[in-house]
Amino acid sequence: MRKPTVDYRGFSLRKLNDPRFSHLKLLGGWLVYFAMYLITEYLNPNNSGTAVSCSLDYKIPFLEIFVIPYVGWYLLIALSLLYFALYNVENFKRLQIFIIVTQVAAMIIYITFPNFQPLRPDVYPRDNFLTDIVALLQTADTNSNVCPSLHVAYSIGIASIWLKEKDAKGWVKTAIVIFCILVCLSTAFIKQHSVIDGLVAIPVCILAEVISCFGYWKERFKK
């Protein structure tokens, strides 16, 4: 088993300024995000703002099987950050900065361009365990503040950083990229997002890639 590059056994909150642990301060971005999420939900309640959808959305069938990668996305974020925190601090920084940039950009858009999606079915075409999960998910997560999709944005960021991980085996990178693609597709198949939400996430991701991985690409272009 690989030895972690950082020994966290001596970590405490009082040591956050220690160079060994200072990268963990980037996790504070999540606290800001959750606060901003609550604010945007208050400013833009359910079914308010501009409805975002396109003709393609109505041609895509509802497939509850896609709730598996959609929910698995949460675990993917946590495990990716944990792996990089243990084995590659630079990639931890890149991924967390990528996430922060997409969060900030999305919150600015949600506030300046309130939006929602009108795609959720009133009645699911099937009644099973997976549709129960979708129903629970959609009860907890409103259909406002959807464009751009953070599910898509984070997935692109996770795939990008894993592809830069030198110590990861090829099959691991392939599996993660495929899973990230499934997550992106899941947003449309369980009617959590319009296709437009995913497309709008792409320029946000380009901005995040430039900011978070500028040093990486600078070195690559030197070679």
Side-chain angles (χ1 to χ4, degrees):
M1 187 174 180
R2 288 176 57 195
K3 182 179 179 181
T5 57
V6 179
D7 185 353
Y8 291 98
R9 288 175 295 182
F11 172 74
S12 68
L13 290 178
R14 292 178 296 179
K15 295 183 179 180
L16 270 178
N17 289 324
D18 187 311
R20 292 177 298 165
F21 310 122
S22 60
H23 57 281
L24 296 178
K25 289 190 286 187
L26 288 169
L27 293 174
W30 287 99
L31 299 177
V32 177
Y33 165 70
F34 289 128
M36 291 300 298
Y37 172 80
L38 295 175
I39 292 172
T40 55
E41 287 292 302
Y42 173 78
L43 294 174
N44 182 23
N46 225 7
N47 293 323
S48 66
T50 301
V52 178
S53 65
C54 65
S55 59
L56 180 57
D57 295 321
Y58 298 95
K59 296 178 182 178
I60 297 174
F62 175 89
L63 296 177
E64 64 272 21
I65 189 69
F66 277 94
V67 76
I68 296 174
Y70 189 92
V71 173
W73 172 83
Y74 296 98
L75 184 61
L76 178 64
I77 294 171
L79 291 179
S80 294
L81 287 171
L82 176 61
Y83 174 89
F84 292 130
L86 290 173
Y87 300 112
N88 191 327
V89 171
E90 283 305 308
N91 275 345
F92 172 87
K93 293 177 182 178
R94 288 172 181 145
L95 179 55
Q96 188 55 46
I97 291 172
F98 191 107
I99 289 172
I100 289 172
V101 173
T102 57
Q103 288 171 342
V104 171
M107 292 302 123
I108 292 173
I109 294 172
Y110 297 159
I111 292 171
T112 58
F113 178 67
N115 58 80
F116 74 98
Q117 58 93 343
L119 302 169
R120 294 182 178 182
D122 295 324
V123 178
Y124 299 118
R126 290 164 293 279
D127 184 12
N128 53 49
F129 175 67
L130 293 178
T131 55
D132 289 342
I133 295 177
V134 175
L136 180 63
L137 177 69
Q138 295 184 339
T139 298
D141 186 12
T142 70
N143 65 337
S144 60
N145 303 320
V146 292
C147 183
S149 166
L150 287 177
H151 256 72
V152 172
Y154 293 4
S155 297
I156 292 174
I158 289 169
S160 171
I161 303 305
W162 271 103
L163 288 173
K164 297 177 179 65
E165 176 58 31
K166 294 180 179 180
D167 293 327
K169 296 184 181 298
W171 70 265
V172 172
K173 294 181 180 182
T174 300
I176 289 174
V177 170
I178 291 173
F179 188 81
C180 288
I181 292 172
L182 290 174
V183 171
C184 294
L185 294 175
S186 75
T187 63
F189 279 105
I190 65 169
K191 304 303 177 181
Q192 282 291 94
H193 287 278
S194 165
V195 172
I196 295 173
D197 303 337
L199 294 177
V200 174
I202 294 175
V204 173
C205 289
I206 293 173
L207 172 65
E209 177 76 14
V210 171
I211 293 174
S212 63
C213 301
F214 179 79
Y216 171 86
W217 290 113
K218 184 178 179 180
E219 289 300 316
R220 286 294 298 269
F221 286 131
K222 281 183 178 179
K223 295 179 180 180

